[in-house]
Amino acid sequence: MSDPQPTIVLVHGAFAESASWNGVIDHLGAAYNVVALANPLRSVASDAAYLRDVMGGIGGLVILVGHSYGGMVITQAAAGDPSVRALVYVNALAPDTGDSALSLSAKFPGSTLADTLVQYPVSSGGNEVAIGQDGYHAQFAADVSNDVAALMARTQRPVTEQALNDGLTGDPAWRSLPSWFVFGEADKNIPVAAHRFMAERAAARGQREVAGASHAMAVSQPSEVAETIIEAVRGVGG
């Protein structure tokens, strides 16, 4: 008897939220079991621990899909976990040991994110960071409508500075698990050169680059993202 089909767990990154996966979920349809995680965006270690808690509640096999900083989280959470069958990186960071979100996004020139950020202190310590309302559309989601971008800007989840500075601990899960990458050629948060570098470093089984796609690819190009996820499911026999 073949293994049951894995559950697809979608992990959003900074400046987004779980509803950003709605279009992808629609394209996946009823044939797949899907959970969109509410990523706390507090630190890589605690966010990965929370993802592992959710995976434990799901039970059975999973495929982890990360967007942006969510790639940090799935890479950390999947390490050494036999329930994870594959990793899918959607305009996402695929860190090696010690890499942080900030170090990876700055590895190649081209990111314009820093100039759009606003920050403020939080009572738990340190600062929290968001994209300013005025700059959100052009920076994060240039290929979606004005109305959709305005809604995304208002519902974005801020991230702590700590989370952006945390380096990956231990061996990256992509070293032992099959991975698929889909990324936008016009990503202004993480330069496309970084995406190509990370996909090649991970020896990705699938690598899809979408011309003109922004960082918010799950919203603007949900069919491309869903197709890559389906490739991953089929690639591991799901």
Side-chain angles (χ1 to χ4, degrees), residues 19-231:
S20 62
W21 296 108
N22 286 356
V24 175
I25 295 170
D26 285 344
H27 277 84
L28 289 171
Y32 298 95
N33 297 319
V34 184
V35 172
L37 183 91
N39 189 358
L41 306 176
R42 300 297 90 184
S43 72
V44 171
S46 65
D47 295 342
Y50 177 63
L51 173 54
R52 286 191 292 268
D53 290 342
V54 172
M55 289 159 53
I58 291 168
L61 302 175
V62 298
I63 288 177
L64 299 183
V65 182
H67 172 246
S68 194
Y69 165 82
M72 298 287 303
V73 178
I74 67 171
T75 305
Q76 183 84 60
D81 190 323
S83 71
V84 183
R85 298 295 307 279
L87 303 168
V88 181
Y89 293 91
V90 180
N91 271 346
L93 298 160
D96 203 345
T97 307
D99 286 340
S100 70
L102 288 181
S103 69
L104 271 178
S105 59
K107 188 174 184 68
F108 296 88
S111 175
T112 54
L113 177 62
D115 291 339
T116 68
L117 296 178
V118 295
Q119 65 179 26
Y120 44 86
V122 288
S123 58
S124 55
N127 290 317
E128 191 170 69
V129 181
I131 296 178
Q133 298 273 326
D134 292 345
Y136 190 96
H137 191 183
Q139 176 62 40
F140 196 84
D143 55 350
V144 306
S145 70
N146 291 335
D147 288 347
V148 170
L151 181 61
M152 292 173 65
R154 293 179 179 121
T155 58
Q156 66 176 298
R157 297 277 300 278
V159 64
T160 65
E161 279 187 323
Q162 178 183 338
L164 297 178
N165 281 287
D166 282 344
L168 183 78
T169 58
D171 289 333
W174 49 256
R175 195 159 278 148
S176 56
L177 288 169
S179 62
W180 280 258
F181 285 68
V182 56
F183 49 88
E185 171 266 334
D187 187 345
K188 294 183 179 179
N189 281 26
I190 305 168
V192 69
H195 291 305
R196 294 169 184 151
F197 165 78
M198 291 183 287
E200 290 166 14
R201 179 172 68 175
R205 285 233 203 137
Q207 181 175 333
R208 181 178 303 199
E209 180 175 331
V210 182
S214 74
H215 189 66
M217 176 182 268
V219 178
S220 66
Q221 303 282 346
S223 62
E224 297 278 4
V225 174
E227 285 172 21
T228 301
I229 295 169
I230 291 168
E231 286 176 13

